[in-house]
Amino acid sequence: MNIKKTILAAVIAASQAVFVIPAYAESVEDIPDKQMQYSNSDIGISNQLVLYLNSSKIEQNGVEYTALRDMTVKQGVTYVSLRSLADRLGYKVGYDASTNEALVSSSDASEARFKANRNTYVMDGSSYPLNGTPYMDEGVLMLPLRSLAAAYDITVTLEGDKAVLQLPAATVSEPEPEPEPNEPPTAFFITDKYKYRMGEPIRYEDRSTDDEDAIVDRIWDNNKPAFFEPGIVEVSLQVTDKHGLSSTYKQQIEITTELLYTKEEFDRLYTPVGSNFDISGSSVLSFDALPYTYRTEPYTLFRASGPETVNSEGILYQDTIEGTTLFMIHHKNKLGEKAKFYVVAENKGESPASVDISGLGFAGPTNHPEVAGRSAAARYFESMINGRASKSMTLSPGEKKLIFTELSAVTVPDGDVVTLNADLTSSDPIQYTVLIVKAKNDPVEMLSTLPYLDPKESIIRGTFKDSARVFEYNELVGTKPERLPLTDNTTDPFQKGIDGIKLTEATNSGNYGVLYYIVLNRVAPNTLITFNPRGGLYSGAARVNNEVVHIKHIGSTQDSTSVLYRTGSQEERVELWITPAAGSNLPFTFLFLPMPEVKN
């Protein structure tokens, strides 16, 4: 990277940056200190950024700006919003949907790539470690400040509760130091022993090393958690450092003819939560079905997914609702250019009305609808637990406001999908309008002239009352294989509602967006609870007690099931929440399976 050009670009482009950074989904070695120190004589006109701890305030040369998120400290590492800091530096931020990476570019054609939950960044094709784990905060990518500053040769000074970034306004001719010779990493791992019975768990411990502590990639081969045929097996590990040098270590393990667990027994005992194992999909129908009777709660569902693929600007759905409302919004932009989606709330009454958002999960843009559906559902359930989505507002009579700003904050490329699951409560009837316009257009100005778009074929939109279904079961579950089938339109009928625009009957095929709350008051000890899709690809999430579990099924999905929970040695009460995920296929069923006895 050309340091001179980068410094000049930071000064020249500070007021010209254009940012397009969508939400997308997600780690951690100290970075070598690349920061350069400048004396007063090196610096021309002062160019300073001041960031404040636990605050969104940014000051640049005496002018105050607001960051998307507060600067915060986690586990001793200070994090800032990538987009907000790049904005002040004058860099452009884009998004590579194929890799889920944020792209930061400057006028000298340098490019850096950052990704949530990855412990490295890539600068002009070379990988470097970060001193903290990047993470997503409700659609905003948060990066460790020290590493971000080092990547762009910016000096950071900590002064109490603020960080001062000195951005040089003049070029610096100091040469970069000669790189030290690099040694390749050394791949190495151990197992707890070298001989195992069939079906016996194997523990692998990675002990690879590198002279710069900069291993950026690990590729295992054949490191299965257990083997079920006797013989000699070989396991290998290849590690690669940030310079591209690598090494490989191989180890042989003996599997004896003695059997500890069959594969079915092992899978039930040891498959991690959120992972899948194979089953016979046809055998599931022989399991006893729990007697599914449910009561409803007065949650009204506002479902806007029709037309799912949007070819023109317009109003996607609109209706007036009072009280607790669930939202499921799922759309693909096909305008042929970048677009934005909005939700407008309007108080049609004659007195002030309150709107209180309590849960919200947003995902996208992405060209994978099932990924957006899964992430939105997971974030919705996470917001239930942590309460971070809570937001209140008051609408005066006749007033319009944009709500769900997480949705309207992103620009959606042509061909990409966005998904939102949310809930709110209003004190009075509120008219909600979901619309799409080209990114350059103002939604409020255009609202009165936009046409109503018509749903096509089986794509659904509508308003559906009583959309929270509560199933509470008091008998003992899990002493034998049992199932609870849902969204099948037989034991669990599809909702009937109304199209609020056309005023015609609407059917919520699949019950997408319905909130299911399942209370099992007596689950037997050593019971495995899993999710088995019955209709094809399924990518979603469930809340189990106070944990959110991601569900991912691709391929022959009836013949696989994903682990949600295991009870311990005593009878337990278990609570499950799920909402059928946008972009996935239905129906599905929960399975309750006795686990085998643990052996030594």
Side-chain angles (χ1 to χ4, degrees):
M1 180 176 67
N2 188 312
I3 294 178
K4 284 188 177 182
K5 290 183 179 180
T6 301
I7 294 170
L8 286 173
V11 177
I12 295 170
S15 64
Q16 302 175 351
V18 178
F19 297 90
V20 181
I21 180 167
Y24 65 96
E26 309 175 61
S27 277
V28 280
E29 307 291 340
D30 278 347
I31 185 170
D33 190 359
K34 296 171 55 186
Q35 296 182 10
M36 299 181 63
Q37 303 296 326
Y38 304 94
S39 66
N40 291 335
S41 62
D42 294 323
I43 302 171
I45 301 172
S46 175
N47 188 13
Q48 269 191 356
L49 287 182
V50 182
L51 291 75
Y52 293 84
L53 185 63
N54 299 323
S55 171
S56 61
K57 184 171 75 170
I58 298 179
E59 292 178 350
Q60 184 172 23
N61 302 329
V63 180
E64 185 172 318
Y65 301 88
T66 301
L68 292 173
R69 294 291 182 271
D70 293 355
M71 182 173 75
T72 188
V73 175
K74 289 190 174 186
Q75 298 180 343
V77 178
T78 302
Y79 290 88
V80 294
S81 159
L82 168 62
R83 178 180 176 181
S84 299
L85 193 57
D87 193 356
R88 304 274 45 87
L89 295 176
Y91 297 141
K92 292 184 179 181
V93 182
Y95 176 60
D96 187 339
S98 64
T99 60
N100 282 346
E101 292 175 309
L103 311 182
V104 182
S105 58
S106 57
S107 60
D108 68 348
S110 295
E111 180 188 78
R113 289 172 170 257
F114 301 90
K115 186 176 182 178
N117 284 351
R118 186 176 69 190
N119 66 346
T120 61
Y121 71 97
V122 178
M123 177 70 78
D124 295 330
S126 298
S127 295
Y128 301 92
L130 296 166
N131 74 311
T133 308
Y135 66 93
M136 298 301 299
D137 182 359
E138 297 183 1
V140 176
L141 180 60
M142 304 292 287
L143 294 184
L145 173 61
R146 177 171 173 258
S147 293
L148 188 57
Y152 290 100
D153 303 286
I154 298 169
T155 301
V156 179
T157 304
L158 299 179
E159 300 177 1
D161 64 346
K162 64 183 181 182
V164 180
L165 282 65
Q166 187 67 53
L167 312 180
T171 62
V172 179
S173 59
E174 180 179 338
E176 294 188 10
E178 290 294 325
E180 296 178 0
N182 174 60
E183 296 180 2
T186 301
F188 183 64
F189 66 90
I190 64 170
T191 54
D192 45 342
K193 52 187 180 179
Y194 295 96
K195 184 182 292 187
Y196 295 88
R197 293 165 287 181
M198 291 186 294
E200 183 175 0
I202 302 174
R203 181 174 61 86
Y204 303 91
E205 182 179 340
D206 184 355
R207 292 191 177 181
S208 303
T209 58
D210 180 65
D211 62 328
E212 295 179 330
D213 202 16
I215 294 175
V216 297
D217 195 22
R218 292 170 165 84
I219 300 176
W220 289 89
D221 182 54
N222 207 33
N223 61 327
K224 296 180 180 179
F227 293 89
F228 300 93
E229 293 183 359
I232 302 298
V233 298
E234 185 174 83
V235 180
S236 68
L237 170 64
Q238 176 182 295
V239 296
T240 304
D241 69 11
K242 67 181 183 181
H243 303 285
L245 299 180
S246 63
S247 70
T248 301
Y249 175 75
K250 298 180 180 180
Q251 178 178 310
Q252 290 187 334
I253 300 172
E254 180 183 354
I255 308 301
T256 71
T257 57
E258 184 180 355
L259 178 67
L260 181 64
Y261 295 113
T262 65
K263 188 174 188 308
E264 179 182 1
E265 291 171 335
F266 182 90
D267 288 341
R268 292 192 185 188
L269 282 170
Y270 295 107
T271 300
V273 170
S275 295
N276 306 342
F277 65 88
D278 294 337
I279 62 170
S280 170
S282 59
S283 69
V284 168
L285 298 178
S286 67
F287 298 175
D288 288 347
L290 300 185
Y292 181 63
T293 56
Y294 63 88
R295 60 180 174 84
T296 61
E297 295 288 340
Y299 286 51
T300 300
L301 172 63
F302 180 102
R303 177 177 172 181
S305 57
E308 182 181 48
T309 299
V310 190
N311 301 300
S312 59
E313 294 180 298
I315 294 173
L316 293 154
Y317 191 54
Q318 183 181 77
D319 205 352
T320 300
I321 304 173
E322 179 180 4
T324 303
T325 307
L326 295 168
F327 287 81
M328 195 209 81
I329 298 171
H330 179 72
H331 292 294
K332 176 189 287 188
N333 169 29
K334 287 297 291 182
L335 298 187
E337 61 181 273
K338 294 177 180 178
K340 300 190 78 169
F341 293 90
Y342 298 90
V343 180
V344 179
E346 180 178 358
N347 180 4
K348 292 285 193 178
E350 299 180 353
S351 58
S354 63
V355 175
D356 300 309
I357 298 172
S358 53
L360 189 148
F362 170 74
T366 174
N367 54 11
H368 298 287
E370 74 282 0
V371 173
R374 172 172 54 82
S375 298
R379 292 166 187 166
Y380 172 65
F381 289 127
E382 287 164 359
S383 74
M384 273 189 180
I385 298 169
N386 60 41
R388 291 178 184 169
S390 298
K391 188 181 300 183
S392 298
M393 66 188 74
T394 300
L395 298 177
S396 301
E399 183 179 9
K400 300 183 182 73
K401 280 188 179 180
L402 295 177
I403 60 173
F404 306 142
T405 52
E406 292 80 358
L407 170 67
S408 54
V410 302
T411 300
V412 184
D414 183 63
D416 275 11
V417 171
V418 291
T419 304
L420 180 140
N421 290 101
D423 64 67
L424 58 74
T425 302
S426 65
S427 61
D428 296 273
I430 301 293
Q431 183 184 76
Y432 302 104
T433 304
V434 183
L435 58 96
I436 180 176
V437 294
K438 296 174 182 177
K440 61 187 178 184
N441 292 335
D442 185 290
V444 177
E445 288 183 1
M446 295 187 65
L447 183 58
S448 61
T449 61
L450 287 173
Y452 291 103
L453 302 180
D454 194 21
K456 304 294 191 299
E457 299 174 356
S458 62
I459 303 302
I460 300 301
R461 70 182 186 193
T463 304
F464 305 91
K465 294 184 177 180
D466 300 324
S467 293
R469 295 188 174 182
V470 181
F471 171 66
E472 187 165 8
Y473 193 63
N474 295 316
E475 301 300 319
L476 190 62
V477 177
T479 58
K480 59 183 178 180
E482 295 174 289
R483 61 191 172 104
L484 178 60
L486 296 175
T487 68
D488 58 2
N489 203 29
T490 303
T491 57
D492 184 30
F494 293 161
Q495 291 182 299
K496 297 294 184 180
I498 190 170
D499 183 318
I501 294 175
K502 301 177 72 175
L503 300 181
T504 56
E505 184 181 83
T507 300
N508 187 2
S509 299
N511 286 344
Y512 290 94
V514 171
L515 180 61
Y516 290 86
Y517 175 41
I518 299 161
V519 182
L520 305 168
N521 286 312
R522 298 185 60 205
V523 182
N526 304 309
T527 295
L528 171 65
I529 302 176
T530 72
F531 176 97
N532 175 226
R534 307 299 297 176
L537 178 150
Y538 192 94
S539 182
R543 174 183 170 184
V544 186
N545 297 329
N546 282 321
E547 298 292 331
V548 176
V549 181
H550 287 245
I551 300 167
K552 305 174 187 177
H553 286 273
I554 299 174
S556 181
T557 55
Q558 284 196 9
D559 295 321
S560 67
T561 194
S562 52
V563 175
L564 299 180
Y565 188 74
R566 291 181 177 91
T567 59
S569 58
Q570 296 182 343
E571 187 177 300
E572 296 183 28
R573 182 179 187 270
V574 177
E575 298 181 358
L576 302 170
W577 288 258
I578 195 166
T579 185
S584 287
N585 298 313
L586 300 172
F588 60 79
T589 186
F590 290 108
L591 304 182
F592 308 94
L593 307 170
M595 291 192 295
E597 180 182 352
V598 176
K599 305 174 185 176
N600 294 323

